[in-house]
């Protein structure tokens, strides 16, 4: 169960954008900007408040890779595992980050909530791999 302050903050953000379906993405972006993730319980509340079906809110949140249901660290380190980077040994870089930060396949964020390490399919810098 979320603290009441989460709902108060959501109400402020919703008031800024207006209680309308077109506010869904900006509201979700601002919520994630504040908390570094989208709490599922809060997403349900937002959907109800702006008049969007809960399924629609969840489908938007899961479609866009920028949204996360897990809290991330202050700094997100993204390691490319696209074809060009993989061939150039990006896995070794990923392993070094994970080892240095004490992370694993199941734990992607440090205990102090400072760093999160993720893999991505492409950073768009294939020529630099």
């Amino acid at each position: 169960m979320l603290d009441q302050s989460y709902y108060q903050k959501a109400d402020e953000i919703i008031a800024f954008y207006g209680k309308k379906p077109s506010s869904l993405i900006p509201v979700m972006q601002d919520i994630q900007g504040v908390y570094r993730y989208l709490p599922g319980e809060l997403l349900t509340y937002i959907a109800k408040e702006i008049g969007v079906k809960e399924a629609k809110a969840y489908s938007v949140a899961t479609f866009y890779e920028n949204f996360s249901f897990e809290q991330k660290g202050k700094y997100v380190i993204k390691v490319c595992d696209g074809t060009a980077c993989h061939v150039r040994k990006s896995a070794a870089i990923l392993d070094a980050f994970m080892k240095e930060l004490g992370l694993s396949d199941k734990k992607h964020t440090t205990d102090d909530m400072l760093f999160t390490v993720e893999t991505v399919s492409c950073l768009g810098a294939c020529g630099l791999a």
Side-chain angles (χ1 to χ4, degrees):
M1 180 139 205
L2 293 176
D3 184 73
Q4 190 61 32
S5 65
Y6 282 74
Y7 298 100
Q8 291 168 343
K9 188 63 174 176
D11 287 338
E12 289 174 25
I13 293 169
I14 291 167
F16 179 78
Y17 290 106
K19 288 187 174 189
K20 56 189 182 225
S22 62
S23 299
L24 179 62
I25 292 176
V27 168
M28 289 169 42
Q29 288 173 322
D30 284 8
I31 293 291
Q32 182 155 304
V34 172
Y35 300 111
R36 296 195 297 257
Y37 80 117
L38 281 173
E41 189 177 323
L42 196 56
L43 186 58
T44 299
Y45 175 79
I46 292 165
K48 186 182 109 205
E49 289 296 306
I50 65 172
V52 172
K53 291 189 183 286
E54 186 177 347
K56 171 74 172 180
Y58 274 89
S59 71
V60 170
T62 56
F63 178 79
Y64 292 104
E65 199 156 317
N66 280 354
F67 294 120
S68 174
F69 291 113
E70 294 180 20
Q71 195 167 14
K72 295 184 179 188
K74 183 176 182 180
Y75 304 104
V76 179
I77 301 167
K78 296 186 180 199
V79 178
C80 181
D81 197 34
T83 304
C85 293
H86 183 77
V87 168
R88 300 288 292 165
K89 310 286 188 224
S90 65
I93 294 169
L94 176 64
D95 290 343
F97 273 122
M98 300 294 265
K99 183 178 178 184
E100 181 68 27
L101 296 171
L103 302 176
S104 67
D105 290 339
K106 294 182 182 180
K107 180 182 175 194
H108 298 277
T109 302
T110 57
D111 292 335
D112 60 6
M113 297 303 294
L114 205 52
F115 297 102
T116 297
V117 178
E118 300 176 337
T119 58
V120 293
S121 297
C122 185
L123 292 171
C126 303
L128 301 175

